[in-house]
Amino acid sequence: MEALLRQARFLKGATSAHHFPEDSGVEVAFCGRSNAGKSSAINALCQQHRLAYTSKTPGRTQAINFFKLSGDFRLVDLPGYGYAKATTTVWEQWQRLTESYVARRRALCGLMLLMDVRHPLMEIDWTMLRWGQHYQLPMHVLLTKVDKVNRSTMARTLTKVASSLEQEGLHAGVQLFSTTKRVGISQAREKICAWLRDTLITARAITPTKDTPAEEGSRGQE
Ligand code: GDP
């Protein structure tokens, strides 16, 4: 199943919900503050060098990028958030686009949230976590760039983030991650593949048709 990620190919970028690909199959989305290491993580997980890359220009048009795996599996790169210089308009565009995706996308079966281990759980990360919880999405946090801190800081941050989430009643896995030192890559791959596989199995068992949509707010897949 992990070979699945190596097959990732850019499918399309969408700047509004009208441009999303058909909402069928199963997909896992990645989100995180700008510079958290999201593009590097997607590339490392898919064993590719330039699959995902970001322009570092604040205020550029933000898009949701879809990558096709085999069959009807996809990975989705949500726009980075939290540019220090972002204008209100850029912020509102980000919010509208991202929430329209997270709230309505039936194919979405899990959210990977990336946070720099040196600055985890910033305000905007809590926003994403609360959306994920509200829309009943399985979530998993990657604490990135752990090569930049020592072992005791890694361990302390992991425990602290896990307990902060628990205190807030948020259900999410948490793990350490580094692309440069190759920490946690297999663990993250296994999580993504398990979400994709389990959701597909459940979806096959339920086999919803276009005439019998799931209830609003319920994904019926978890
Ligand atoms: P994005 O904006 O979230 O897509 O972040 P990028 O993947 O573009 O990474 C932002 C910066 O962090 C780049 O300079 C990367 O080379 C660097 N970076 C990404 N992952 C790691 C990592 O695991 N360790 C270190 N030391 N740097 C990283």
Side-chain angles (χ1 to χ4, degrees), residues 33-41 54 56 144-148 177-180:
R33 298 173 71 229
S34 306
N35 220 39
K38 181 163 55 69
S39 310
S40 309
T54 52
K56 298 293 172 195
T144 61
K145 307 190 193 181
V146 295
D147 55 286
K148 297 247 192 195
F177 193 84
S178 164
T179 51
T180 49

Side-chain angles (χ1 to χ4, degrees), residues 73-90:
F73 290 125
R74 286 176 301 274
L75 295 184
V76 181
D77 184 7
L78 298 176
Y81 42 76
Y83 281 118
K85 290 184 197 148
T87 60
T88 311
T89 317
V90 169

